Amino acid sequence: MVLKRERGTGRPGGRGWRALFGVVFAFGLAALTPLQAQAAPMESASYGNLPNEGLYPEQTSCSGSYYQPNVPGGATKTAVYAGRTITLKYFYSPGCGSFARIENAPEGCAAHSNRLADTSTVWVLETVDPGIDYAYTKVINNLDGRLSKAVLFCDNQRLAETAWY
């Protein structure tokens, strides 16, 4: 068996090793990249002061226990925008708080969670990334008597919202 040698390297299959290194390097970079659905989180200045705020639902100790509660008027709302029926969902966990999720949404739309705080509203939102059609917010703490709700915005238009819960 004769091995073809790469000119100047003295090693068999030089191109194969470079290609393999490139693939391994790319997978290594991908492994270091966080697996979040949202690329553009935004929040009010007072967001993040309470436990679990600033974390995505799967990062909390309540991961897997969020559910759609019996919100007055429903925990799921829909709106038609740009020819799509977009679904807004409100999720809650009595141990961590709540978050909003939108599905079948184009770019330019955002899931938004609000929390009442004394005389102001604290909020967090997530926009839809290119290439996907959903977004969900980080947790907002509506425990200990605080109220929250989910809101759907598209191109700065409020299209749907749940009641306060």
Side-chain angles (χ1 to χ4, degrees):
M1 178 164 118
V2 177
L3 293 175
K4 182 177 177 182
R5 296 194 181 270
E6 183 86 12
R7 283 190 184 156
T9 65
R11 286 184 270 158
R15 286 186 196 155
W17 284 107
R18 281 193 299 253
L20 180 61
F21 177 74
V23 169
V24 169
F25 182 73
F27 277 110
L29 285 178
L32 295 174
T33 305
L35 296 175
Q36 296 298 337
Q38 297 74 25
M42 291 177 263
E43 58 204 39
S44 63
S46 54
Y47 174 78
N49 295 333
L50 297 173
N52 295 306
E53 290 188 340
L55 299 174
Y56 289 99
E58 66 274 11
Q59 296 171 325
T60 69
S61 62
C62 300
S63 180
S65 69
Y66 291 90
Y67 63 92
Q68 290 194 277
N70 190 16
V71 175
T76 298
K77 300 288 183 177
T78 60
V80 176
Y81 182 79
R84 295 182 183 208
T85 300
I86 303 169
T87 305
L88 168 68
K89 295 180 178 181
Y90 176 87
F91 291 93
Y92 174 77
S93 173
C96 292
S98 63
F99 71 95
R101 178 179 170 94
I102 57 173
E103 298 169 352
N104 196 37
E107 286 183 58
C109 293
H112 193 277
S113 288
N114 291 333
R115 162 172 64 79
L116 290 178
D118 300 327
T119 59
S120 64
T121 302
V122 175
W123 57 269
V124 60
L125 72 81
E126 297 278 349
T127 59
V128 174
D129 280 352
I132 61 174
D133 66 355
Y134 68 94
Y136 59 96
T137 67
K138 293 178 180 178
V139 172
I140 198 153
N141 187 318
N142 63 322
L143 308 177
D144 301 322
R146 290 181 286 274
L147 299 175
S148 69
K149 69 178 176 178
V151 184
L152 163 64
F153 282 98
C154 291
D155 295 322
N156 296 317
Q157 298 175 50
R158 182 184 297 237
L159 299 179
E161 63 186 277
T162 65
W164 292 101
Y165 182 79

